[in-house]
Amino acid sequence: MEYEAVIGLEVHVELKTASKAFCSCSTAFGAPPNTQVCPVCLGLPGVLPVINRQMVEFGIKTALALNCSIAPICKFDRKNYYYPDLPKNYQISQYDLPLARDGYLEIEVDGVKKRVGIIRVHMEEDAGKLIHGEEPGADYSLVDYNRAGVPLLEIVSAPDLRSPDEARAYMEKLKAILEYLEVSDCKMQEGSLRCDANVSVRPKGSTVFGTKTEVKNLNSFRALHRALSYEIERQISLLERGERIIQETRAWDEQRQVTYSLRSKEEAHDYRYFPEPDLVPLAIGEEWIERVRSTLPELPDARRERLIKDYGLPEYDARVITGSKALADYFEKAVSLFPDPKQVSNWLMGDFMRLLNAKGLEPQEAPVPPENLAELLKLQQEGTISIRIAKEVLEEMFATGRGAREIVEAKGLTQITDVAQLTAIVEKVLAAHPKVVEDYRKGKEKALGFLVGQVMKETRGKANPNLVNQLLKERL
């Protein structure tokens, strides 16, 4: 039997506010444990929460970008459960009257466009963080409450995704939108963006949902894709053996590349939701919504179309570059200094991203500013350095942060264009490879490429390749 997957994602986004959701504690990442806490976020007796206005505005902004309807009245609720990193034994969240509903996000996979529904966007506070003892025999966990109370948005998709590829495309598109809105830094490695995936399988063509499992706290695109791929195969294997799928919450083990059971799946009534008695309902008027709407930036799809129109970029290039706001900003700055959009695009998508990925950096963290990349491309365009040397210089720029011209002059990398000097090297290479010369004269065009390579090797990549080609052909 052929099966299909049914996937819905619950994405948790830490908002980039200066203070927590209901108190004035800092949200800065990386502070010493339990130094950014107060009686309110620790839930001590007699304290009262106060709503962070910036959290609400970031929520409205996100909901508008996701084509949602904003609720005129929403309220906060208590979601009750016990866990050591939840100091109050409840989480302030939203249940039946969330901030926004009924939106959508458009994705494209293998050239096929698809609209994925957004069921709801709601506000809540984050829990703390548990650090489990890792040494052999460790039987303790440490608790850091700095994260407790950090404002979150939960964005719940409809079960419209049908493959791990679609789920990954959805997460990548959502991350890009959030970055463009500047409501979150979206640093998945720091937990600013993470998701829970609900997944089930059913016979292809069926409209009845199968029993779903939830895979918790996936904090990278790769983990999301691999966890879903594993879980889909696991569920199909169970059905084909005639076994029952249990509705449960599972976790992803990155080392073993498997999901494993955590607990039976909770239902809403298990959390004993009731209205948060210390916070009044929130009225969101049209004037407030329109004021936030007026602050919406150009979003990824619109920017992609503009890059195609204004810079003549191919669709693929524009899609890759606008997938990150920081990369798109970098591109436009570089093009303003070196007006060859396709050349800039090629370097960004090639060596620039390769070096960023090798260092585990985001585009905004690149040690090479757009001005320095533009300087490098000008040196290559002018013929001062060859493309091979330009690639080496870029690596040096990433390693040291120095400018291109400075590196070229300090290391003596200027391209050799002296005809007499290159002629002598060409004669030497031809004399050393008589068989290759004979092959070329018999019509083997590829032999020329070998000879060019030998000249470049002799000059450590500094020879002008066009001049080398010309001199070789003259002598051959």
Side-chain angles (χ1 to χ4, degrees):
M1 183 181 291
E2 195 175 351
Y3 292 89
E4 73 171 2
V6 178
I7 301 165
L9 300 184
E10 299 170 8
V11 178
H12 296 87
V13 185
E14 278 190 1
L15 296 176
K16 199 165 60 174
T17 57
S19 55
K20 292 186 180 181
F22 305 108
C23 68
S24 60
C25 289
S26 171
T27 59
F29 181 82
N34 300 311
T35 58
Q36 295 176 172
V37 294
C38 73
V40 176
C41 56
L42 289 176
L44 300 184
V47 298
L48 290 172
V50 178
I51 299 171
N52 183 329
R53 185 184 185 90
Q54 186 70 76
M55 169 180 70
V56 180
E57 298 213 341
F58 279 173
I60 295 171
K61 198 172 188 179
T62 302
L64 290 171
L66 296 176
N67 309 291
C68 294
S69 299
I70 311 293
I73 299 285
C74 68
K75 69 177 174 67
F76 287 96
D77 300 275
R78 287 191 182 182
K79 181 180 182 182
N80 296 274
Y81 63 97
Y82 169 75
Y83 205 64
D85 63 4
L86 196 68
K88 297 191 288 248
N89 282 347
Y90 65 84
Q91 176 190 36
I92 300 178
S93 182
Q94 292 188 301
Y95 179 46
D96 56 331
L97 292 177
L99 174 69
R101 298 178 187 269
D102 303 328
Y104 65 87
L105 184 154
E106 290 184 340
I107 62 171
E108 185 173 329
V109 176
D110 297 330
V112 179
K113 292 184 178 178
K114 182 172 190 173
R115 180 173 288 192
V116 180
I118 306 278
I119 296 174
R120 59 189 276 144
V121 176
H122 70 253
M123 300 174 285
E124 61 186 22
E125 60 180 342
D126 210 345
K129 185 179 181 182
L130 286 177
I131 297 105
H132 303 294
E134 293 183 354
E135 65 270 25
D139 60 352
Y140 67 90
S141 293
L142 304 175
V143 191
D144 179 5
Y145 288 124
N146 281 350
R147 198 174 68 181
V150 168
L152 286 180
L153 285 185
E154 182 169 339
I155 301 166
V156 182
S157 85
D160 293 340
L161 301 162
R162 293 291 174 267
S163 70
D165 287 344
E166 287 187 3
R168 179 173 185 146
Y170 171 89
M171 273 291 285
E172 288 175 340
K173 182 71 171 287
L174 182 56
K175 178 177 184 280
I177 289 171
L178 295 166
E179 286 178 338
Y180 275 69
L181 295 174
E182 297 184 340
V183 299
S184 173
D185 61 24
C186 293
K187 292 181 178 177
M188 300 181 82
Q189 70 276 15
E190 293 180 5
S192 299
L193 181 68
R194 54 195 192 268
C195 87
D196 303 335
N198 293 295
V199 56
S200 63
V201 296
R202 65 186 179 189
K204 198 149 194 174
S206 172
T207 57
V208 179
F209 290 153
T211 303
K212 70 179 178 182
T213 60
E214 180 183 36
V215 186
K216 296 286 285 184
N217 290 332
L218 300 165
N219 62 358
S220 73
F221 298 132
R222 186 174 73 169
L224 172 66
H225 194 279
R226 290 183 174 182
L228 285 172
S229 298
Y230 175 85
E231 187 60 17
I232 290 165
E233 287 303 314
R234 187 189 72 86
Q235 291 188 20
I236 290 173
S237 178
L238 284 173
L239 292 176
E240 289 184 338
R241 294 200 306 268
E243 297 181 35
R244 189 169 62 89
I245 295 167
I246 300 167
Q247 183 169 325
E248 62 182 344
T249 299
R250 300 177 69 85
W252 172 245
D253 186 318
E254 185 66 39
Q255 274 195 319
R256 296 190 298 136
Q257 297 286 297
V258 298
T259 64
Y260 61 93
S261 181
L262 283 176
R263 57 184 178 269
S264 61
K265 175 74 176 130
E266 301 91 343
E267 302 291 348
H269 64 260
D270 293 323
Y271 292 118
R272 305 186 315 283
Y273 281 102
F274 63 85
E276 169 55 63
D278 293 333
L279 294 170
V280 296
L282 189 61
I284 302 173
E286 277 301 316
E287 184 185 339
W288 193 2
I289 294 170
E290 291 309 311
R291 185 158 46 77
V292 173
R293 194 191 302 275
S294 70
T295 69
L296 288 176
E298 181 183 43
L299 293 173
D301 287 349
R303 194 170 198 180
R304 184 182 73 246
E305 294 305 317
R306 181 170 62 79
L307 294 195
I308 292 169
K309 180 170 175 275
D310 292 357
Y311 297 103
L313 283 186
E315 162 82 19
Y316 176 79
D317 294 38
R319 186 176 296 280
V320 171
I321 286 169
T322 57
S324 159
K325 180 181 184 296
L327 188 63
D329 290 346
Y330 192 108
F331 167 82
E332 295 212 66
K333 178 64 176 175
V335 168
S336 73
L337 301 166
F338 181 79
D340 185 337
K342 182 56 180 163
Q343 182 88 321
V344 173
S345 166
N346 288 346
W347 277 85
L348 287 184
M349 295 192 302
D351 291 82
F352 183 84
M353 287 307 299
R354 174 179 63 80
L355 292 167
L356 272 186
N357 292 335
K359 288 179 173 286
L361 299 175
E362 296 291 331
Q364 63 269 29
E365 299 168 326
V368 178
E371 295 81 1
N372 287 13
L373 180 67
E375 180 184 59
L376 176 70
L377 299 189
K378 282 176 186 172
L379 289 173
Q380 188 212 328
Q381 186 184 59
E382 293 163 358
T384 304
I385 56 175
S386 66
I387 188 164
R388 177 180 157 186
I389 294 296
K391 288 173 181 282
E392 291 179 14
V393 171
L394 184 63
E395 293 205 14
E396 182 78 10
M397 290 163 74
F398 261 82
T400 65
R402 294 159 69 197
R405 192 174 295 278
E406 180 189 350
I407 292 169
V408 168
E409 290 174 356
K411 294 199 161 190
L413 299 174
T414 303
Q415 191 164 252
I416 300 170
T417 56
D418 181 88
V419 174
Q421 185 181 355
L422 285 179
T423 298
I425 296 168
V426 164
E427 295 288 2
K428 178 183 173 184
V429 166
L430 292 176
H433 301 282
K435 177 71 171 60
V436 180
V437 171
E438 186 183 339
D439 287 345
Y440 178 79
R441 288 176 174 153
K442 286 179 179 177
K444 291 186 179 178
E445 291 288 331
K446 288 183 179 178
L448 181 65
F450 172 81
L451 294 170
V452 170
Q454 293 303 303
V455 174
M456 299 306 288
K457 186 177 177 182
E458 284 285 327
T459 61
R460 290 185 296 174
K462 292 194 285 183
N464 182 302
N466 291 333
L467 187 53
V468 170
N469 267 279
Q470 179 189 326
L471 292 171
L472 279 169
K473 285 178 179 177
E474 285 173 1
R475 270 136 195 84
L476 288 165

